[in-house]
Amino acid sequence: MLVTRDPLFGVVPPSLVLLGAVLVAGGLFAAGMWRLYRLMRLGKSTSTTSIAGRPVKRAKGMLFDVLLQRRLLAEPYGGVMHALIFWGFAVVTVMTAHTFLAGLFPGFDLPAISRNPILLASVETFMALVLLALSMALLRRLVLRPQRLTYNADAYTVLALIAVLMATAFLTTSTSIAYDVQPWDRWAYLSQALAPAWVGLEPGHLLLLHRVSWWTHVLTVLAFLAYLPRSKHLHVVTAPLNVWLRNLGPRGRLPYRDVEAALEAGQPLGAGEVTELTWKDLLDSLTCTECGRCEAACPASSTGKPLSPKRLMTDLRQYLVRHGPALLRDAETWSRGDTDRTLGGRRGEAFAARVMGFALTVWRMLRPYRPLRKGPAPNGNTGTASPPVRPALVGETIAEEVLWDCTTCRACVDACPVLIDHVPKIVDMRRHLVMEQTRFGPEAQRLFDNLEASGNPWRFPRATRGDWAAGLGIPILGEVSVDDVDLVYWVGCAGAYDERYQKVTRAFARLLQHAGVRFAILGPRETCTGDAARRAGHEYLFQTLARQNVDVLNACGVKKIVATCAHCFNTLQDEYPELGGQYEVIHHSELLAQLVREGRLRPAQDQQPGGRTFTYHDPCYIGRYHDLYEPPRDVLRALPGLKLREIPQHNRARATCCGAGGARAFMEETRGTRINHLRLEQAEGAQPDGIATSCPYCIMMLEDAARAKGRYDTLPVRDIAELLDEWVEAAESR
Amino acid sequence: MNVVVCIKQVPDPEIPPAQFKVDEVARAVVPPPSVAPVMNGYDAHALEAALRLKERHGGTVTALSLGPPSAREVLKRALAMGADRACHVDDPVLYDADSWLAAAALARAIYRIGGESGRSGQNGQYGYDLILCGRQASDTDAGQVGLGIAAFLSLPALSPVQQVEVIENGRLRVERLTEEGYQVIDVRLPALLAVSSEIGEPRYPPLRGIMAASRAQIPMWTAADLPPLGRKDDGDWPPLARKLRLQRLYQERREAACEHVQGESPADAGRALADRLRQVGVI
Ligand code: HEM
Ligand code: SF4
Ligand code: SF4
């Protein structure tokens, strides 16, 4: 590096100037990060994430989702673009670190880095690739303009900063080569190719150009650093953290709350304020890159509803950054003298806070606080003037209808490259509305009333829950001992009461009898699992229902359960263990696939001449929640004469929800267009003769859509059990 | 304003009628087992109206129910929704009450509540300002008890009511439903209003309310605890006795048969169907 050889303007040693700049930028970065850290610590502790737990799995996540950029690459254009920038940075950073050390300590030089042929060549190559990626990013933002992106100055600022970095890096090296070529310079092959461009300059000017370029480069790096905590590009730091700290618990398990204890203690029953979310929820919001992949996948956003999972995250972040400081101050005033308080109460933290206090004050003077996203200026400043009025997080910042729109389909979570978990936040805020504020629509009220009164969503009498099985020779547990059966069939509310879905229930029971599986049902002693209550935010009602069921199941000594309903399956498998219910739970698609594989069910050739083409709709609660993509398809593939054709694009993990999850099945869909119509249209894209699926609510929603579109007769919706039953019956009657 | 709301516990009206059985000997309707009784729908609307009046004008809301021990669940729900206190009247001699007996018992209970409240109502004499009840109960659909209470307590009564509004101290403006619209009537307190569902959806009780209500102590009064209304010429007015007696209760038998009419073509089938319908005399 030429620059470091001469003092700046012949007076100040450049290393001192650089040191000053590093300290300022480092201070700004540290102050910004410290502030964000403290804001994040406003959140409650979390039970689902532990930094220490399962390090191997976490390390694997780091490898795939950070280093190899697996989730980003799920979308080719944006993925390749970003991977090039990311890998480029990873490589270039080694050289940048060397540059800074050499600048700070004159005479410092590690030939293993500065003269390493492989490193030099890679740095040059990746810098070119980063420039390519930047032009891809510009093309995307200026020409392609996908809807999912957020178009703000922040994005362009960072693209510009990176462009300056790359350009000045080439300029610095090539001028250096033009001035004084070294043997190892041939590895910097691109700069060397550029160097002849400067031969016309006289040495003095060349040196000046080199110096200006070097300083621009170095100061831009520092500017980037100082800018990070004030930008979505904070993700450079938070994304790897968030990937490491990902929730490794079961996907289908919502966070448990001891409602009764909270009631006794007068504690909040849901999240109505950022302090009632967990710190991980807040870290999620600080990590969001505003890429909009979640929004593009979200059925609510896709049908024009107010909910956008991206907006949810950015609104939460904006609220945290804008109103968090006031909450921090409240907490501090309250905790003064009380060292036991968790927030800032720990001694080390309190000391660090004091040290950082000075830096913070300096920083505040330099740059009055500004929110991350554009918006109205914050009311007043941080001084002693009347405190800004804090709007409610739930209801004002995040509208109630936004929260009620969510089907908990998990498409957003699955699409998010930085592993943000939207669903528990939405449910926690619903809990606030339901249990704290008693604010919900008449349909939710009806659902709660009915579940309380009758243990099912439609208020059928409990006593008739087993009536569907009359005359089918299905034993009720109690009439037979649990030791005399292979498993218990969990029928579910739809299976027991819904006239349409009873056909599936009976078909499945017939198949079990046919295959010689010994099973029993609980009959009137079964109650709604509570899935809808829990996802609607009524945690207390969920726990009441779940405890009843766990008591019954445990009293009977049940060990193995099969469920036809995807929601029952998920709740039994993922959520009951926390309430003392440990069972082996399988979905009927798994069991049927197994019975077919073992030859215990033998489907015959399709009776319809020419055969039929079916497509398959993946229910969220067995698909994205449990990765059961193949078992139902295995069943369909085993039906001779039936052709399986996938729904274009939107199949398996990318399947769009039917619109029923998250208790939406029991509410009117008043905003935007209908999700079930969208899903039916997607399915029609496969040009099938029928749609197969494996969840009662999917059947109801898709049949409703077919009815509304006049396709009820031409596009039958069937459970895989109904189809298999039809094919097996055909074999029988031959 | 101090309001007393009369609330009846009824079999869950959402149960399909086919699930009910009729005991012809005991002359009683037997609801299916395992379905808990609920608060009568119109009474829930009455309670909602009372709670809204309290929210706007202050005062107290007292929920009153006559019935077997299970009626306490309904009273707990009323407390959870926001009633300040509840009274339960329970005595075997009052079971299977007819409208007269129910009205008599409730009127006496309200008289006692008025005396006990300690705070006299706006009118000084009564201790309550307003009595609300549902326009009718979903099990009997008689709509008699409210009017009976008003008669015993010598109060003006309006039914069915779709809106209530305080216009000045001691006077309400009430909208009373008619066949084709509604009447606007001003009524001087104390008064009794039998409320219809148009008044507004009953609220869902807040969770904290449910928990508090589950621990609440609800006083229970037997027939002996209900004071006579203090008319000088009659020491025991109104008498706690039945005036009506049900003679017969039975389930109507309905028969349905299903028959498929077929034909070669849709037109044939239509013709065959018409023939058949003429045969049985429907057309
Ligand atoms: C040195 C590290 C990194 C750098 C320099 C970097 C740089 C960038 C840049 C410049 C963008 C903006 C693209 C645009 O808005 O047009 C971006 C977006 C993004 N980054 Fe990074 N990033 C880094 C690390 C990471 C990591 C580790 C992850 C996740 C594992 C990540 C995830 C994302 C995502 C999801 C987006 C949005 C992409 C899209 O719009 O399609 N980044 N990053
Ligand atoms: S869970 Fe589904 S509906 Fe809810 S925000 Fe995510 S994508 Fe949208
Ligand atoms: S939540 Fe995830 S997927 Fe959605 S915009 Fe933010 S980073 Fe992208």
Side-chain angles (χ1 to χ4, degrees):
Chain A
M1 290 297 142
L2 283 176
V3 191
T4 49
R5 292 182 200 157
D6 325 76
L8 192 64
F9 315 122
V11 195
V12 200
S15 54
L16 269 191
V17 179
L18 186 59
L19 183 66
V22 166
L23 286 182
V24 169
L28 285 172
F29 175 72
M33 293 307 288
W34 175 247
R35 172 195 175 80
L36 293 175
Y37 171 74
R38 293 202 332 136
L39 289 176
M40 182 189 88
R41 287 289 310 274
L42 275 170
K44 308 184 303 173
S45 62
T46 159
S47 53
T48 47
T49 323
S50 104
I51 311 169
R54 305 171 72 183
V56 176
K57 183 127 202 225
R58 290 179 195 283
K60 249 168 112 182
M62 291 296 274
L63 175 64
F64 286 109
D65 294 331
V66 178
L67 292 181
L68 298 180
Q69 303 265 299
R70 179 177 59 182
R71 284 170 160 258
L72 271 147
L73 287 164
E75 198 248 321
Y77 189 100
V80 168
M81 176 198 100
H82 187 275
L84 291 179
I85 298 180
F86 172 72
W87 292 328
F89 255 69
V91 174
V92 172
T93 299
V94 180
M95 202 51 94
T96 311
H98 189 273
T99 306
F100 269 85
L101 288 172
L104 287 170
F105 309 105
F108 175 94
D109 188 15
L110 277 182
I113 293 177
S114 64
R115 296 169 202 188
N116 183 327
I118 300 174
L119 189 63
L120 281 172
S122 336
V123 166
E124 294 265 315
T125 311
F126 271 108
M127 288 198 327
L129 289 176
V130 169
L131 280 175
L132 173 72
L134 285 176
S135 35
M136 284 174 78
L138 274 184
L139 183 71
R140 189 171 69 144
R141 288 196 167 268
L142 297 175
V143 184
L144 304 174
R145 296 186 74 80
Q147 208 191 336
R148 62 180 175 87
L149 292 185
T150 302
Y151 293 87
N152 57 12
D154 187 20
Y156 294 107
T157 307
V158 170
L159 292 181
L161 284 176
I162 299 177
V164 171
L165 281 182
M166 296 302 123
T168 51
F170 276 124
L171 189 57
T172 308
T173 318
S174 58
T175 46
S176 162
I177 293 172
Y179 187 80
D180 174 14
V181 71
Q182 303 287 342
W184 54 86
D185 280 338
R186 68 194 155 103
W187 297 109
Y189 64 103
L190 291 171
S191 299
Q192 200 182 31
L194 269 176
W198 318 124
V199 285
L201 285 180
E202 64 176 77
H205 289 165
L206 187 58
L207 201 57
L208 184 66
L209 182 62
H210 173 76
R211 273 201 203 137
V212 168
S213 164
W214 188 90
W215 280 104
T216 314
H217 181 80
V218 165
L219 293 178
T220 309
V221 171
L222 294 177
F224 198 83
L225 194 66
Y227 183 65
L228 276 189
R230 290 140 195 109
S231 150
K232 70 162 180 161
H233 288 272
L234 178 65
H235 81 269
V236 171
V237 182
T238 48
L241 265 178
N242 217 43
V243 172
W244 180 267
L245 296 170
R246 68 167 75 183
N247 179 5
L248 288 180
R251 287 174 221 163
R253 177 183 295 174
L254 286 169
Y256 176 83
R257 284 226 177 180
D258 191 338
V259 181
E260 272 173 70
L263 275 167
E264 294 289 340
Q267 284 162 353
L269 300 172
E273 184 47 271
V274 286
T275 49
E276 291 153 16
L277 288 162
T278 70
W279 62 263
K280 177 61 171 56
D281 289 329
L282 302 182
L283 177 62
D284 274 0
S285 79
L286 293 171
T287 306
C288 176
T289 65
E290 299 175 22
C291 74
R293 286 161 203 245
C294 52
E295 186 182 297
C298 174
S301 309
S302 312
T303 51
K305 303 191 192 344
L307 167 64
S308 147
K310 172 172 90 169
R311 271 287 305 274
L312 190 81
M313 295 321 300
T314 51
D315 283 350
L316 182 58
R317 168 165 72 202
Q318 192 176 9
Y319 184 92
L320 177 66
V321 173
R322 187 177 291 174
H323 302 290
L327 286 166
L328 271 176
R329 265 198 310 280
D330 292 353
E332 271 159 15
T333 327
W334 187 43
S335 70
R336 203 150 285 158
D338 173 5
T339 38
D340 279 350
R341 285 275 306 131
T342 44
L343 208 135
R346 288 221 227 104
R347 245 165 243 175
E349 245 174 61
F351 176 72
R354 228 157 282 147
V355 174
M356 288 317 297
F358 177 70
L360 253 163
T361 319
V362 173
W363 174 60
R364 281 209 189 106
M365 282 159 56
L366 283 173
R367 182 195 164 105
Y369 161 69
R370 270 218 262 120
L372 285 169
R373 280 180 63 212
K374 264 198 212 154
N379 329 359
N381 56 18
T382 50
T384 49
S386 64
V389 197
R390 187 169 355 114
L393 173 66
V394 176
E396 290 185 84
T397 306
I398 296 169
E400 285 176 33
E401 58 284 5
V402 164
L403 298 171
W404 289 118
D405 275 343
C406 176
T407 69
T408 69
C409 72
R410 229 175 156 273
C412 50
V413 182
D414 209 77
C416 179
V418 293
L419 292 148
I420 285 169
D421 212 352
H422 310 69
V423 178
K425 299 171 187 52
I426 294 176
V427 174
D428 244 347
M429 290 190 256
R430 283 184 178 181
R431 285 177 181 170
H432 170 77
L433 287 175
V434 169
M435 295 194 291
E436 199 73 53
Q437 307 267 321
T438 324
R439 285 216 304 260
F440 41 79
E443 292 137 2
Q445 167 159 353
R446 206 175 165 75
L447 172 69
F448 299 152
D449 272 338
N450 290 351
L451 287 173
E452 272 165 32
S454 64
N456 67 74
W458 307 284
R459 209 133 170 176
F460 289 101
R462 283 172 207 274
T464 60
R465 199 171 173 104
D467 286 6
W468 65 272
L472 298 182
I474 299 169
I476 291 185
L477 208 61
E479 291 169 10
V480 295
S481 150
V482 79
D483 300 322
D484 295 332
V485 296
D486 304 321
L487 42 72
V488 168
Y489 172 23
W490 187 274
V491 181
C493 301
Y497 298 112
D498 183 69
E499 235 173 274
R500 161 70 183 92
Y501 195 68
Q502 279 178 354
K503 290 187 189 160
V504 179
T505 316
R506 295 204 188 94
F508 179 60
R510 245 190 324 270
L511 288 168
L512 290 183
Q513 288 172 328
H514 195 98
V517 177
R518 296 175 309 159
F519 70 103
I521 58 172
L522 289 173
R525 285 204 287 168
E526 188 187 284
T527 299
C528 174
T529 55
D531 157 80
R534 182 168 228 195
R535 278 157 186 83
H538 205 328
E539 180 70 5
Y540 181 74
L541 181 54
F542 161 71
Q543 288 179 17
T544 313
L545 295 166
R547 293 221 162 85
Q548 284 173 23
N549 282 324
V550 169
D551 285 349
V552 169
L553 289 166
N554 288 354
C556 296
V558 173
K559 292 192 185 58
K560 187 165 180 184
I561 301 174
V562 62
T564 33
C565 172
H567 298 262
C568 294
F569 164 73
N570 175 73
T571 298
L572 288 166
Q573 178 167 88
D574 278 2
E575 300 193 313
Y576 276 23
E578 240 177 352
L579 293 149
Q582 303 273 359
Y583 320 103
E584 186 193 341
V585 187
I586 54 170
H587 187 247
H588 76 307
S589 59
E590 294 172 278
L591 182 58
L592 291 178
Q594 183 196 336
L595 294 174
V596 169
R597 201 165 49 236
E598 291 171 355
R600 291 166 73 182
L601 290 174
R602 293 180 189 280
Q605 185 65 36
D606 189 6
Q607 296 301 290
Q608 290 203 6
R612 279 176 274 178
T613 302
F614 264 72
T615 191
Y616 179 72
H617 161 78
D618 287 279
C620 308
Y621 273 79
I622 62 163
R624 270 186 298 273
Y625 274 86
H626 291 276
D627 293 334
L628 292 180
Y629 299 118
E630 291 316 312
R633 289 180 169 79
D634 287 344
V635 172
L636 294 174
R637 286 190 206 105
L639 303 180
L642 182 139
K643 202 164 157 269
L644 174 63
R645 196 183 297 140
E646 294 293 343
I647 298 176
Q649 277 182 309
H650 301 280
N651 59 60
R652 294 192 170 82
R654 294 187 168 212
T656 303
C657 177
C658 71
R664 292 284 341 161
F666 308 101
M667 300 174 201
E668 267 310 313
E669 197 173 335
T670 48
R671 293 173 285 274
T673 52
R674 290 188 174 266
I675 295 175
N676 56 343
H677 291 192
L678 170 69
R679 187 56 177 157
L680 192 81
E681 281 157 23
Q682 291 176 354
E684 282 175 327
Q687 297 184 317
D689 301 319
I691 304 174
T693 185
S694 48
C695 168
Y697 295 97
C698 296
I699 294 188
M700 285 181 208
M701 296 307 275
L702 294 175
E703 263 183 7
D704 278 352
R707 213 171 275 127
K709 290 174 163 280
R711 297 229 46 196
Y712 183 72
D713 296 319
T714 51
L715 194 57
V717 182
R718 295 284 179 269
D719 191 271
I720 52 163
E722 288 177 293
L723 293 172
L724 181 57
D725 181 51
E726 189 184 330
W727 261 255
V728 169
E729 286 291 302
E732 281 305 283
S733 57
R734 214 165 326 153
Chain B
M1 183 162 8
N2 297 332
V3 187
V4 177
V5 188
C6 302
I7 297 172
K8 185 177 184 184
Q9 165 210 261
V10 294
D12 192 337
E14 306 269 344
I15 305 171
Q19 303 277 335
F20 284 90
K21 299 215 166 35
V22 165
D23 182 341
E24 295 192 11
V25 181
R27 285 174 226 135
V29 176
V30 187
S34 78
V35 186
V38 297
M39 187 186 294
N40 176 42
Y42 289 123
D43 297 351
H45 288 104
L47 178 59
E48 178 63 31
L51 294 171
R52 290 184 190 179
L53 285 172
K54 176 182 140 183
E55 278 160 6
R56 236 168 294 145
H57 307 287
T60 62
V61 173
T62 306
L64 170 65
S65 187
L66 164 68
S70 54
R72 301 178 81 77
E73 290 309 312
V74 168
L75 288 173
K76 281 186 178 159
R77 183 150 181 116
L79 289 174
M81 285 169 72
D84 299 281
R85 66 168 191 156
C87 297
H88 179 207
V89 179
D90 181 12
D91 194 315
V93 307
L94 302 173
Y95 289 176
D96 298 322
D98 61 11
S99 304
W100 166 280
L101 175 53
L106 289 170
R108 283 173 171 232
I110 292 168
Y111 184 66
R112 175 164 175 180
I113 291 169
E116 271 189 354
S117 75
R119 231 170 314 163
S120 55
Q122 278 158 354
N123 175 290
Q125 182 187 349
Y126 292 88
Y128 51 81
D129 305 297
L130 181 63
I131 301 168
L132 294 180
C133 55
R135 59 185 284 184
Q136 65 212 59
S138 61
D139 52 352
T140 56
D141 273 337
Q144 295 280 310
V145 173
L147 303 177
I149 294 170
F152 289 135
L153 295 173
S154 309
L155 301 177
L158 286 169
S159 176
V161 167
Q162 69 160 351
Q163 203 184 324
V164 190
E165 196 187 321
V166 178
I167 43 174
E168 60 180 74
N169 232 2
R171 266 197 329 148
L172 298 181
R173 177 153 297 169
V174 172
E175 288 179 15
R176 179 181 168 273
L177 277 165
T178 62
E179 203 116 300
E180 319 227 291
Y182 60 88
Q183 302 168 326
V184 180
I185 301 170
D186 288 0
V187 60
R188 190 164 288 286
L189 294 175
L192 181 141
L193 306 178
V195 171
S196 186
S197 54
E198 286 80 357
I199 207 133
E201 273 307 300
R203 65 198 59 192
Y204 187 84
L207 195 53
R208 287 183 200 284
I210 295 176
M211 301 305 270
S214 69
R215 285 190 288 265
Q217 297 290 322
I218 300 176
M220 201 266 277
W221 295 339
T222 61
D225 298 320
L226 303 178
L229 294 188
R231 284 203 342 195
K232 288 183 193 72
D233 53 339
D234 186 342
D236 195 26
W237 179 260
L240 296 177
R242 256 186 226 110
K243 301 278 181 182
L244 307 173
R245 187 159 172 73
L246 183 67
Q247 284 309 307
R248 184 168 173 224
L249 188 70
Y250 67 100
Q251 206 155 12
E252 220 172 15
R253 213 181 295 278
R254 284 194 198 153
E255 275 169 18
C258 190
E259 193 179 317
H260 279 272
V261 178
Q262 277 159 343
E264 291 290 306
S265 65
D268 274 353
R271 228 166 284 136
L273 178 62
D275 283 349
R276 183 76 187 106
L277 289 175
R278 201 166 297 134
Q279 233 172 26
V280 296
V282 185
I283 52 173

